[in-house]
Amino acid sequence: MGDIKKVVLAYSGGLDTSIIIPWLKENYDNCEVIAVSGDVGQDSELEGLEEKALKTGASKLYIEDLNKEFIEDYVFPTIKADAVYESKYLLGTSFARPIIAKRIVEIALAEGADAICHGCTGKGNDQVRFELAIKAFAPDMKIIAPWREWNLKSRDEEIEYAEAHNIPLKITRETNYSKDKNIWHISHEGLDLEDPANEPMYNKEGFLELGVSPEQAPDKPTYVTISFDKGVPVAIDGEKMDSVSIVKKLNKLGGENGIGIVDLVENRLVGMKSRGVYETPGGTILYHAHNKLEEITLDRDTYHFKQQVGLRFAELVYFGQWYTPLRKALSAFVDSTQETVTGDVKLKLYKGNIIDSAVTSPYSLYDPDIATFDEDEVYDQKDSAGFINLFGLPIKVQAKKGLIKE
């Protein structure tokens, strides 16, 4: 299949990429395969990965620690934008792909590779996210996507291929969910989840990985206070922490209290609807706390316009358009809105719920002297009559012309 002597493979060690190494060697004239794993918090999934990659035919494996850069340069900017896809999805897989793909390109160029290969299916969003990032940094690099080439039609056939080639797998046909895990979240797709009529088996042993279901959460609430500086979380319960530690700590607290479990039928970029279950315990807490702080620190017009920006920002991230002028421009706008988003947010975590407890900021725009229902000396209620007359003037004119209909 062309003059391909060296391929760099985006390697996770999961079902797809486990069989891609021998498949590449079989179908691309025994080409050299260099595997690259971007460590964005997969934890135990990285154990034994080098031995497995080498045994299945790779010449070497790079494991790149991207955790800090991932959280600070991709996750936090998205939180600051309050970007949520279709009101529920906190973009855990979406913003992990660009950073991984960028590092893969850097290694591919350094290694003098002829092509980059990924294991994304032809039905999914990740193929777009990987390939747009590759085009951004290596526009002339050949891309190999086995799912668009090979004759394997299902995950069962992939397992059969692995068994025929003596490739060890950590899954069985019964536990063959398609999963993506990183420091931010884990997604579950496939098997019984493909039918939206089936309730996810949250209490089944081994299904949830980052926490427990709300039913299994403690009967006593947990309080947590998160401190922000210019929209960025910097401390938990008064203790200064680095970015990675903050996410891990909130994952633990959120997971223990059944926070951040989402069942979503989403609209994929490629046009189909798909169903997934997402666990994002720490991320759900951070989004909630950040938005709560913005309630008192942003003026009305900025707050409302920023909500529109958040929707578009989420689409850009979901569609794999991180490395685009528009995403960069929107981030610049968002950063300008965060100058006063500093303060503390206290939350109560209880059986899957996040309950607001308190919020304070030195830049708070909430003025109790103005908002009070008691007597005050700073707001003349008579002024509102003139305001309403002017604000309602267009309606009054239309009404007099008989132009307003029920």
Side-chain angles (χ1 to χ4, degrees), residues 62-184:
Y62 289 87
I63 297 180
E64 302 293 292
D65 184 356
L66 304 175
N67 283 272
K68 185 174 184 293
E69 183 182 354
F70 173 49
I71 294 298
E72 295 181 1
D73 295 347
Y74 295 79
V75 175
F76 284 174
T78 307
I79 295 175
K80 288 192 290 184
D82 296 299
V84 181
Y85 187 70
E86 298 191 337
S87 302
K88 288 185 177 181
Y89 177 42
L90 301 187
L91 300 163
T93 299
S94 306
F95 48 33
R97 295 312 187 220
I99 185 176
I100 294 172
K102 179 185 176 186
R103 186 64 186 124
I104 288 171
V105 169
E106 292 168 350
I107 291 174
L109 294 175
E111 287 280 358
D114 304 302
I116 292 174
C117 179
H118 64 74
C120 308
T121 75
K123 288 185 175 182
N125 301 304
D126 279 346
Q127 60 182 333
V128 181
R129 297 164 184 157
F130 267 112
E131 294 187 30
L132 291 191
I134 293 169
K135 292 178 187 299
F137 298 103
D140 296 322
M141 180 70 68
K142 179 177 174 58
I143 298 172
I144 299 174
W147 268 103
R148 303 202 293 255
E149 296 183 21
W150 62 24
N151 295 321
L152 302 177
K153 302 300 182 184
S154 68
R155 290 176 67 82
D156 276 347
E157 290 187 11
E158 286 186 286
I159 292 175
E160 291 173 3
Y161 182 97
E163 291 171 344
H165 289 75
N166 297 314
I167 300 172
L169 299 174
K170 295 182 179 180
I171 60 171
T172 67
R173 286 172 174 81
E174 291 72 31
T175 62
N176 187 22
Y177 289 105
S178 176
K179 297 187 179 186
D180 178 73
K181 181 182 180 181
N182 58 45
I183 191 175
W184 184 248

Side-chain angles (χ1 to χ4, degrees), residues 121-349:
T121 75
K123 288 185 175 182
N125 301 304
D126 279 346
Q127 60 182 333
V128 181
R129 297 164 184 157
F130 267 112
E131 294 187 30
L132 291 191
I134 293 169
K135 292 178 187 299
F137 298 103
D140 296 322
M141 180 70 68
K142 179 177 174 58
I143 298 172
I144 299 174
W147 268 103
R148 303 202 293 255
E149 296 183 21
W150 62 24
N151 295 321
L152 302 177
K153 302 300 182 184
S154 68
R155 290 176 67 82
D156 276 347
E157 290 187 11
E158 286 186 286
I159 292 175
E160 291 173 3
Y161 182 97
E163 291 171 344
H165 289 75
N166 297 314
I167 300 172
L169 299 174
K170 295 182 179 180
I171 60 171
T172 67
R173 286 172 174 81
E174 291 72 31
T175 62
N176 187 22
Y177 289 105
S178 176
K179 297 187 179 186
D180 178 73
K181 181 182 180 181
N182 58 45
I183 191 175
W184 184 248
H185 90 152
I186 185 169
S187 63
H188 309 260
E189 295 179 322
L191 297 181
D192 54 298
L193 298 179
E194 291 188 343
D195 185 351
N198 293 329
E199 180 181 0
M201 296 180 287
Y202 296 132
N203 293 323
K204 180 181 179 181
E205 184 178 355
F207 182 78
L208 294 177
E209 296 189 25
L210 298 184
V212 300
S213 69
E215 299 96 323
Q216 295 174 318
D219 293 331
K220 181 180 179 181
T222 298
Y223 285 89
V224 61
T225 299
I226 304 167
S227 301
F228 290 84
D229 181 27
K230 295 184 178 181
V232 175
V234 294
I236 297 177
D237 294 330
E239 179 184 355
K240 294 281 186 179
M241 303 175 73
D242 64 79
S243 57
V244 173
S245 297
I246 283 175
V247 174
K248 287 184 176 180
K249 175 68 173 179
L250 292 178
N251 273 340
K252 182 176 184 299
L253 292 177
E256 290 171 347
N257 287 278
I259 303 295
I261 302 170
V262 166
D263 182 353
L264 172 64
V265 176
E266 70 199 56
N267 289 292
R268 283 185 178 174
L269 174 58
V270 295
M272 71 184 70
K273 289 184 180 289
S274 67
R275 193 235 193 144
V277 169
Y278 298 102
E279 298 177 63
T280 321
T284 301
I285 296 171
L286 281 174
Y287 264 87
H288 188 109
H290 177 263
N291 185 258
K292 187 64 182 178
L293 186 57
E294 286 189 326
E295 285 183 9
I296 67 169
T297 56
L298 296 186
D299 66 278
R300 180 191 64 200
D301 289 348
T302 300
Y303 186 76
H304 288 182
F305 187 74
K306 188 171 175 291
Q307 289 177 318
Q308 299 176 50
V309 170
L311 291 174
R312 188 69 182 100
F313 198 106
E315 287 183 338
L316 291 173
V317 177
Y318 188 85
F319 296 164
Q321 295 173 297
W322 185 269
Y323 302 115
T324 60
L326 179 56
R327 198 284 308 166
K328 185 177 180 181
L330 292 184
S331 282
F333 164 76
V334 168
D335 285 342
S336 73
T337 70
Q338 300 297 290
E339 289 297 319
T340 60
V341 185
T342 295
D344 298 327
V345 182
K346 185 177 182 180
L347 302 171
K348 179 165 67 174
L349 313 179

